[in-house]
Amino acid sequence: MTQTTQAAAAAVPETPSPRKPRIHRAWFVAAVTFVTIIGAAAFRSLPGLLIDPLHQDFGWSRGTISAAVSINLALYGLTAPFAAALMDRFGIRRVVAVALTVIAVGSGLTVWMTAAWQLMLCWGLLVGLGSGSMALAFAATVTNRWFTERRGLVTGILTAASASGQLIFLPVLSWMVEKHDWRPAAVTVALAALAVVPFVWLLLRDHPADVGLKPYGAKEFVPKPEPVPGAARRAVGVLFKAARTGPFWLLAGTFAICGASTNGLIQTHFVPAAHDAHMPVQAAASLLAVIGVFDVVGTIASGWFTDRFDARRLLATYYALRGVSLLFLPMLLAPSVHPPMLFFIVFYGLDWVATVPPTVALCREQYGEDSAIVFGWVLASHQVGAALVAFLGGVARDAFGSYDMVWYFSGALCAAAALMALVIRRKQTVPPTVAAVA
């Protein structure tokens, strides 16, 4: 018996212990969210490629076409806070699946349009509403629910998904537009959005409690909150509450300038501006795709920085560098791609949406549980800024025959955003005496 007991005791240390690091379900949810945003990002690659083809096919002015794009961009932002509230009411999975379907319908219907109002209805209204529900407020909601640690990094990764979608689809769509027609490109966008719906429905979960887990990094189990009725009322109520604070207006103002200098300016007007300089459309579209490559790197790095450094100073640095680069762009546009242009593309790519992780972090710091909805409203300002510049950029091109004034004006706006970011006051979440004791 003694030998048996000793043998059993000796065998105990050799039994497998559950020390293997198990991948938390939150990372799978983040992966599905990443793929979902990539699918929805396909439509964002198309507007800048359509301005010249639609102008040639239908004779519509660039200002008219840009107006449809501006409606899309504005609704992309204005829908986001309501979508965040709807996710609290009906769940992430349902809202996202419906949004992708609406994007597919809106993009698919454009192949039969014959009038400008139909472009505004399909591409402006339907795709704008669907994409707004897939906006960065979606990423913020997933991050807030599933993670308590690594939030900055996850926000950066999910933000980079949009750039990855641009990277994947932009070269393909530009080839379709140039070699075939713009209609196959629109159908491709519709199919890409539909293809993601099954992944969302089968794999995405609304809350860690749905699968009996704690959020990643949480010390205690977090029960799933009850559905919040009155999504629209809550979204508007959060807006009025946040609007009484100074940081909200500073965050909204800086993010409006972010949208003006990215989605509204470069994404919408870079390809036609490069074409004005006699650069081939495919070459210009490929440069935008390169922006997407470095955007992934820059955004993930920004998330890492946000976990470690003052978000306000990060924002100020990003906007200041972006403004300087825009001032040089008119001198870089040429019939062929040369090293200074490549440097601009790499630099702008690294800075493209690096502003998102620190902006989300500041919203979380200032507004706590309401931060996803507040960020939705801040994102709305981003898209309003994008919409204004998308429209005014087309008008300026029609009026002056070039985009030079638009580049210079946007560079000045970025300088103003850098100053605004530094003015944001930090919220004291822990009393100084307690912090000193800790």
Side-chain angles (χ1 to χ4, degrees):
M1 294 293 293
T2 306
Q3 292 179 349
T4 306
T5 306
Q6 289 175 348
V12 170
E14 297 177 6
T15 55
S17 61
R19 285 188 294 176
K20 275 190 173 181
R22 183 167 169 252
I23 300 176
H24 195 284
R25 179 68 176 267
W27 294 108
F28 291 103
V29 172
V32 174
T33 305
F34 186 91
V35 173
T36 303
I37 296 174
I38 285 178
F43 79 92
R44 297 182 63 189
S45 304
L46 199 53
L49 303 177
L50 293 184
I51 292 178
D52 285 337
L54 292 179
H55 174 68
Q56 294 169 6
D57 275 13
F58 299 103
W60 301 333
S61 70
R62 290 177 176 82
T64 298
I65 300 167
S66 297
V69 177
S70 70
I71 292 172
N72 177 297
L73 292 172
L75 287 176
Y76 176 87
L78 293 172
T79 305
F82 296 98
L86 285 171
M87 288 176 188
D88 288 341
R89 175 68 178 87
F90 298 106
I92 298 173
R93 185 168 56 167
R94 292 179 182 177
V95 173
V96 172
V98 171
L100 286 166
T101 305
V102 171
I103 290 172
V105 171
S107 181
L109 288 176
T110 57
V111 300
W112 290 289
M113 67 183 178
T114 56
W117 68 266
Q118 294 167 348
L119 175 67
M120 295 182 186
L121 174 65
C122 295
W123 202 262
L125 180 63
L126 291 179
V127 177
L129 289 173
S131 60
S133 302
M134 294 290 305
L136 293 173
F138 166 45
T141 301
V142 170
T143 304
N144 288 348
R145 291 187 182 185
W146 282 89
F147 293 85
T148 58
E149 293 182 357
R150 302 289 189 269
R151 281 176 166 175
L153 177 63
V154 174
T155 302
I157 292 172
L158 296 183
T159 303
S162 180
S164 299
Q166 175 177 295
L167 165 65
I168 293 169
F169 289 102
L170 190 56
V172 177
L173 295 177
S174 65
W175 176 81
M176 286 184 177
V177 170
E178 190 166 4
K179 298 296 182 182
H180 299 283
D181 190 21
W182 61 267
R183 290 174 179 84
V187 172
T188 300
V189 169
L191 294 177
L194 280 179
V196 183
V197 174
F199 290 95
V200 170
W201 194 254
L202 295 175
L203 301 176
L204 194 63
R205 291 295 179 266
D206 294 329
H207 196 277
D210 290 341
V211 289
L213 292 176
K214 297 181 291 186
Y216 178 82
K219 304 300 182 185
E220 299 178 355
F221 183 81
V222 179
K224 183 177 181 178
E226 292 295 323
V228 181
R233 190 185 320 113
R234 185 183 176 211
V236 174
V238 169
L239 170 63
F240 281 117
K241 182 179 176 182
R244 290 194 286 267
T245 65
F248 173 79
W249 292 106
L250 291 169
L251 288 168
T254 56
F255 222 41
I257 294 170
C258 178
S261 55
T262 53
N263 302 77
L265 182 64
I266 297 294
Q267 189 163 14
T268 304
H269 293 293
F270 178 80
V271 171
H275 189 58
D276 285 347
H278 308 293
M279 182 182 294
V281 171
Q282 270 192 282
S286 298
L287 290 177
L288 278 185
V290 173
I291 284 180
V293 175
F294 288 94
D295 183 14
V296 174
V297 177
T299 308
I300 294 175
S302 178
W304 188 86
F305 290 143
T306 301
D307 287 332
R308 291 160 175 79
F309 301 107
D310 187 343
R312 300 169 305 156
R313 294 184 180 181
L314 287 176
L315 283 180
T317 302
Y318 297 154
Y319 286 123
L321 293 175
R322 183 184 300 178
V324 171
S325 66
L326 284 173
L327 297 178
F328 286 97
L329 182 56
M331 296 179 283
L332 302 178
L333 293 169
S336 60
V337 179
H338 46 84
M341 172 58 80
L342 288 176
F343 179 80
F344 169 85
I345 292 297
V346 170
F347 184 86
Y348 213 84
L350 291 172
D351 191 70
W352 183 267
V353 284
T355 56
V356 174
T359 301
V360 172
L362 287 170
C363 286
R364 190 182 300 120
E365 175 188 302
Q366 297 285 338
Y367 303 105
E369 293 182 357
D370 291 332
S371 62
I373 297 177
V374 172
F375 179 69
W377 285 112
V378 172
L379 179 63
S381 71
H382 180 282
Q383 295 308 115
V384 169
L388 284 172
V389 171
F391 172 66
L392 294 175
V395 172
R397 171 60 179 81
D398 288 335
F400 302 113
S402 82
Y403 286 99
D404 288 359
M405 292 301 298
V406 184
W407 307 130
Y408 296 139
F409 180 71
S410 297
L413 285 178
C414 289
L419 295 175
M420 292 166 65
L422 292 174
V423 176
I424 300 172
R425 293 183 178 179
R426 301 202 68 171
K427 185 176 181 179
Q428 290 289 342
T429 54
V430 180
T433 54
V434 176
V437 172

